[in-house]
């Protein structure tokens, strides 16, 4: 019987299998980045609609909860924005809290720009991954 205490024995992979697994890992990582970025875009679009629905005097007073961007996930949105801004992310969040009506469109534009860049990179990588899989499959 299997138990949690038993040692997990990984099967040895040959060089061909290793190349295929590496492709799968890279594909998965890029898919996660693209989907979390897209989710953040959608959420910030909802925030922008909320802001735009307010009267002009209330738009300036709008306070964005940067912890979860008024959405369901705390982690996905923060990671997506952190991926873009790195060390400066806290400055970005502070700007989004302080002046959402002006800061959110800037972040949204940058997210869309990166989404397009990453989609383009994905198309290029798909060719590479296809070649690797064709060279290594059934070997």
């Amino acid at each position: 019987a299997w138990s949690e205490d038993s040692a997990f024995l990984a099967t040895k992979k040959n060089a061909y299998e290793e190349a295929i697994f590496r492709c799968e890992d890279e594909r998965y990582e890029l898919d996660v980045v693209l989907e979390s970025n897209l989710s953040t875009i959608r959420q910030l679009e909802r925030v922008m609609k909320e802001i735009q629905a307010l009267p002009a005097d209330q738009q300036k007073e709008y306070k964005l909860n940067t912890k979860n961007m008024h959405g369901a996930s705390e982690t996905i949105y923060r990671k997506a924005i952190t991926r873009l801004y790195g060390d400066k992310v806290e400055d970005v969040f502070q700007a989004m809290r302080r002046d959402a009506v002006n800061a959110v469109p800037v972040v949204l534009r940058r997210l869309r720009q990166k989404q397009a860049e990453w989609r383009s990179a994905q198309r290029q990588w798909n060719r590479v991954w296809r070649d690797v899989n064709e060279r290594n499959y059934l070997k």
Side-chain angles (χ1 to χ4, degrees):
W2 185 86
S3 75
E4 288 183 30
D5 297 333
S6 66
F8 175 73
L9 297 174
T11 58
K12 293 234 179 196
K13 297 181 196 107
N14 62 35
Y16 305 111
E17 290 172 323
E18 193 62 45
I20 290 171
F21 279 105
R22 197 171 27 257
C23 279
E24 289 174 2
D25 285 345
E26 290 169 358
R27 265 190 168 134
Y28 174 78
E29 290 298 322
L30 186 54
D31 282 345
V32 168
V33 167
L34 286 166
E35 288 304 313
S36 67
N37 198 56
L38 187 58
S39 179
T40 305
I41 288 170
R42 288 181 181 140
Q43 186 57 32
L44 287 181
E45 285 172 343
R46 285 190 282 274
V47 167
M48 281 307 302
K49 283 181 185 172
E50 264 182 51
I51 293 171
Q52 291 166 345
L54 295 172
D57 59 323
Q58 290 180 13
Q59 286 182 5
K60 292 284 185 196
E61 303 302 317
Y62 186 88
K63 297 295 178 203
L64 179 64
N65 175 357
T66 56
K67 188 172 184 178
N68 66 3
M69 309 290 168
H70 297 281
S73 175
E74 186 173 326
T75 309
I76 292 172
Y77 310 135
R78 290 187 69 83
K79 277 189 176 181
I81 294 172
T82 301
R83 195 176 294 114
L84 294 182
Y85 292 99
D87 296 342
K88 301 290 183 194
V89 74
E90 285 309 316
D91 296 338
V92 173
F93 286 136
Q94 187 177 38
M96 291 172 75
R97 281 189 298 270
R98 189 179 55 245
D99 188 14
V101 72
N102 291 311
V104 171
V106 172
V107 173
L108 198 47
R109 188 169 38 251
R110 181 93 167 105
L111 285 164
R112 288 179 180 138
Q113 174 191 2
K114 289 310 262 183
Q115 187 75 5
E117 287 175 23
W118 290 332
R119 283 279 179 214
S120 175
Q122 183 186 40
R123 284 189 291 278
Q124 293 169 359
W125 275 105
N126 279 339
R127 288 186 218 114
V128 172
W129 293 325
R130 188 178 322 109
D131 291 344
V132 169
N133 281 328
E134 287 172 359
R135 280 194 317 267
N136 293 292
Y137 192 69
L138 293 179
K139 297 251 178 179

